[in-house]
Amino acid sequence: MPRWVVVLLVAMGALVVLVPAGGVAAYIYASGRNHEDMRFPSDDVTVAGCALDPATGRPVAELSVTSRAAREGAYTVTVEFQDEREKAVDRGVGTVEGLAVGATGRTEAVGARAYAGGVPRCVVHDAEFRSVEPVATAGP
């Protein structure tokens, strides 16, 4: 077999292996760059307190929400109440309406039933942000 055919076959084999690998590497790099400044509404929420309501025995989470969104909006936060083994035993929802950019609001999330297992753990399970300002549109 001529030497140039061997070189051509080796070069083609290298392309078959390197092009897909290079494509995957480029995709991973671009994907990371596109999402490096991504934020999630749950990043804006802090559990400020977790206790039992003395009257009802239901778990109560005190939540602090500091908006880092680009527009004014409302946060809906779902809190999971867990036992000492970190097993979910209940959930509650708290809402902060009309929170301006950079402002801090407070709310409570209360469980649906009394908790008899000591002191619960309060963990942010989910947070949603809904803008109350329309997205700017281009002029005529």
Side-chain angles (χ1 to χ4, degrees):
M1 186 178 316
R3 189 177 266 178
W4 68 270
V5 173
V6 173
V7 171
L8 181 64
L9 288 174
V10 169
M12 293 299 285
L15 283 176
V16 168
V17 171
L18 294 178
V19 168
V24 169
Y27 173 78
I28 291 170
Y29 173 77
S31 178
R33 298 286 297 169
N34 287 339
H35 296 101
E36 68 185 11
D37 293 330
M38 182 179 264
R39 56 168 286 285
F40 297 96
S42 59
D43 295 338
D44 297 350
V45 180
T46 303
V47 176
C50 186
L52 293 177
D53 181 287
T56 65
R58 298 188 308 178
V60 179
E62 295 178 34
L63 305 171
S64 176
V65 181
T66 301
S67 179
R68 292 181 189 93
R71 298 183 299 276
E72 180 180 337
Y75 285 81
T76 302
V77 182
T78 302
V79 174
E80 185 173 81
F81 300 105
Q82 300 176 347
D83 63 14
E84 63 279 349
R85 295 181 318 260
E86 299 182 8
K87 179 183 175 214
V89 294
D90 202 354
R91 286 193 181 157
V93 177
T95 303
V96 177
E97 298 282 343
L99 195 58
V101 176
T104 298
R106 296 184 75 82
T107 187
E108 288 185 342
V110 181
R113 57 187 171 274
Y115 179 74
V119 178
R121 293 183 68 240
C122 300
V123 178
V124 175
H125 177 74
D126 186 39
E128 295 179 10
F129 173 79
R130 181 179 22 80
S131 175
V132 296
E133 292 181 17
V135 176
T137 57

